[in-house]
Amino acid sequence: MFVADCLQVNQEGHLCVEQRDVLELAAKYGTPLYVMSETQIRKNCRLYQDSLKRFYDGNGLALYASKAFCCKEICRIASDEEMGLDVVSGGELYTAVSAGFPSERIYFHGNNKTASELVAALEYGVGTIVVDNLEELEMLDRLAAAKNICQEIMLRVKPGVDAHTHNFIRTGQIDSKFGFALETGEAMAAVKKAVSCPHIILTGLHCHIGSQIFDTEPFLLTARIMVGFLAQIRKQVGCELRKLNLGGGFGIQYTPDQDPPAYEAYMKRVSTVIHETCSLLDFPTPFILMEPGRSIVGPAGITLYTVGAVKEIPGVRTYVSVDGGMTDNPRYALYQSEYQIMNAGLATQEKTMRVTLAGHCCESGDLIGENLPVQHLEKGDIVAVLSTGAYNYSMASHYNRMPNPPVIMVKADQDRVIVRRETWEDLVRMDV
Ligand SMILES: *Cc1c(COP(=O)(O)O)cnc(C)c1O
């Protein structure tokens, strides 16, 4: 019935996150409200760590891609679960460091890191910088030299696999702003350049083929291509790179009809592919890194809203307006993402209505979804949007000067604020 184990229904028929009735949470903290399950997040982290142990002799590390949901507490949880961490900006890096995340387990991504971001990364002792382009490589070598540091890096490679097509394709991904293309020789040139930089230590290669991917074939093909490239580098450059970062992108279930593959099954297959390719090419099995973001936090979060105006336009549609919208969840406005919704007080009842869930911004495109099946809904009801743990809070904006909702973390029957609610006063804090 539900898209995540952390969602339950109690005897009153109310939706619960773990053992907390969400109607009580809405009453306690107000709406809109993000609610997350700590148990689910930890379980998802362990799924990655455990499958690396089971199927790859533990010769790898799962990094939590913090852009999916970044705040200090999630960094603490990821650290406690012994995950590594991906950051893609100085702000995410600062958040992680502020939370005490061990900097040697941080991987710093981004296609246009600024000099000040790189300096911060060097000063914080970031373990690995994932270099995206030659300008960055040169700048980093210079900045590291000035600090008398030798910085470990990986190079971001475009393996030429586009996972976002129905029948994924192998070429045509040269058109991406991220990384060095393999097929043009750009990636090989970058490897040669990197090994010649005195203050750079090239440890391996990185790739990331997309997000919300259900098909495991593109991942397997990517692994094969990347191992092949490692062997080619040994032949042409004479160095044996030992680390391979396979990126994130594992899909999650947003609606009941979606059926993402089990992660363990994927890990088992990818492990086989790497071992086979390595033995074929007589290359040592690399240390692998995985970078799940969405699949760690997405299913662990929901958003609660209070229903306001209900407008039935006969023969057209019914608009149900809520007290949040594109400012706390821009994903429908950005890419028509699908969600499952429910009346949190009538969680076990049949879904008898079809509604367009609208936000309260001054923008017609401010919708959470259209034609969504839901139980009876009326003014004052609490509506829950499921699977909003990833790319919701982290993509929130202040359009129309809407303050951002707080994030509540639930563990068993306990709840706590991990990000407090913004106030109108917070909104004018930067204004001069
Ligand atoms: C976004 C991103 C991820 C995480 O992707 P998910 O789809 O959330 O798993 C991992 N690595 C890189 C480089 C990314 O840009």
Side-chain angles (χ1 to χ4, degrees):
M1 170 182 184
F2 292 135
V3 290
D5 311 336
C6 62
L7 300 177
Q8 321 266 335
V9 179
N10 65 13
Q11 282 175 346
E12 289 83 47
H14 300 171
L15 179 67
C16 295
V17 171
E18 299 197 30
Q19 293 154 42
R20 290 295 281 129
D21 182 328
V22 304
L23 295 191
E24 287 175 21
L25 294 175
K28 181 172 174 182
Y29 296 106
T31 57
L33 189 68
Y34 298 111
V35 182
M36 301 193 82
S37 158
E38 182 171 339
T39 307
Q40 184 85 50
I41 293 169
R42 289 183 182 273
K43 190 173 150 188
N44 295 344
C45 290
R46 283 172 204 174
L47 188 64
Y48 279 89
Q49 302 284 49
D50 292 347
S51 30
L52 274 167
K53 287 195 189 94
R54 255 182 84 194
F55 301 112
Y56 203 72
D57 301 326
N59 188 25
L61 178 67
L63 316 172
Y64 166 58
S66 70
K67 73 172 193 260
F69 170 59
C70 185
C71 70
K72 285 161 79 168
E73 184 66 359
I74 194 76
C75 293
R76 290 184 201 110
I77 292 172
S79 168
D80 193 46
E81 290 295 329
E82 296 177 346
M83 302 279 282
L85 197 77
D86 263 20
V87 299
V88 296
S89 72
E92 287 181 357
L93 174 58
Y94 183 80
T95 306
V97 171
S98 308
F101 197 95
S103 54
E104 68 278 5
R105 290 212 308 268
I106 297 179
Y107 285 67
F108 189 14
H109 291 276
N111 67 305
N112 191 23
K113 304 174 193 78
T114 63
S116 56
E117 285 176 321
L118 290 175
V119 167
L122 292 169
E123 286 175 355
Y124 290 137
V126 162
T128 302
I129 296 178
V130 181
V131 172
D132 179 271
N133 55 73
L134 287 179
E135 289 85 349
E136 182 186 333
L137 186 62
E138 283 157 17
M139 177 159 64
L140 182 62
D141 190 39
R142 226 174 335 121
L143 294 169
K147 293 191 175 302
N148 208 14
I149 292 172
C150 279
Q151 176 64 44
E152 290 195 8
I153 70 154
M154 293 185 128
L155 291 176
R156 175 154 186 170
V157 171
K158 293 184 238 193
V161 176
D162 184 356
H164 284 149
T165 50
H166 276 297
N167 231 331
F168 73 95
I169 48 172
R170 229 206 104 149
T171 51
Q173 262 307 81
I174 299 173
D175 185 9
S176 158
K177 69 171 183 174
F178 296 105
F180 300 96
L182 236 179
E183 59 257 59
T184 58
E186 203 179 49
M188 186 61 87
V191 168
K192 289 177 181 162
K193 172 81 189 160
V195 297
S196 76
C197 290
H199 290 271
I200 295 286
I201 303 165
L202 178 64
T203 63
L205 305 175
H206 167 267
C207 60
H208 171 72
I209 58 169
S211 199
Q212 185 59 1
I213 300 167
F214 281 3
D215 186 357
T216 51
E217 288 302 324
F219 287 117
L220 302 180
L221 175 59
T222 301
R224 220 173 272 131
I225 292 171
M226 294 299 283
V227 172
F229 187 46
L230 287 172
Q232 214 183 322
I233 290 170
R234 179 177 62 185
K235 202 163 147 202
Q236 290 188 26
V237 189
C239 65
E240 217 164 57
L241 301 177
R242 292 302 180 84
K243 281 185 172 183
L244 178 57
N245 187 330
L246 292 169
F250 215 69
I252 66 163
Q253 190 183 30
Y254 282 101
T255 54
D257 55 303
Q258 292 176 329
D259 189 19
Y263 186 74
E264 296 95 322
Y266 156 69
M267 191 58 229
K268 194 174 166 188
R269 294 187 67 196
V270 99
S271 170
T272 308
V273 162
I274 294 175
H275 281 109
E276 279 173 7
T277 316
C278 283
S279 90
L280 201 70
L281 300 169
D282 191 26
F283 196 85
T285 8
F287 182 88
I288 60 170
L289 297 128
M290 299 283 173
E291 299 177 327
R294 187 191 311 274
S295 50
I296 299 291
V297 288
I302 66 168
T303 308
L304 301 174
Y305 302 104
T306 302
V307 172
V310 178
K311 248 175 229 176
E312 192 185 336
I313 307 174
V316 182
R317 60 165 103 200
T318 301
Y319 281 100
V320 171
S321 291
V322 295
D323 51 356
M326 67 189 290
T327 48
D328 57 78
N329 184 355
R331 292 187 66 252
Y332 188 78
L334 276 175
Y335 21 69
Q336 280 76 54
S337 311
E338 291 182 291
Y339 286 104
Q340 194 182 353
I341 68 168
M342 63 173 60
N343 180 331
L346 303 174
T348 52
Q349 293 195 14
E350 205 189 325
K351 294 186 170 177
T352 52
M353 285 175 88
R354 287 242 169 208
V355 305
T356 290
L357 201 67
H360 62 164
C361 289
C362 201
E363 173 72 47
S364 300
D366 172 22
L367 305 175
I368 303 287
E370 294 173 270
N371 200 27
L372 298 169
V374 67
Q375 297 87 354
H376 178 78
L377 270 184
E378 61 185 43
K379 188 172 168 63
D381 285 346
I382 300 295
V383 59
V385 180
L386 310 189
S387 313
T388 59
Y391 304 111
N392 274 233
Y393 170 77
S394 64
M395 284 188 157
S397 77
H398 292 120
Y399 180 51
N400 288 168
R401 290 244 138 169
M402 301 292 182
N404 289 157
V407 186
I408 305 305
M409 188 67 87
V410 171
K411 188 179 188 183
D413 60 355
Q414 302 293 310
D415 54 85
R416 65 187 193 279
V417 177
I418 63 164
V419 179
R420 69 168 176 79
R421 184 182 294 284
E422 279 183 346
T423 62
W424 289 335
E425 205 183 346
D426 289 326
L427 293 171
V428 298
R429 212 175 55 224
M430 305 304 159
D431 294 5
V432 176

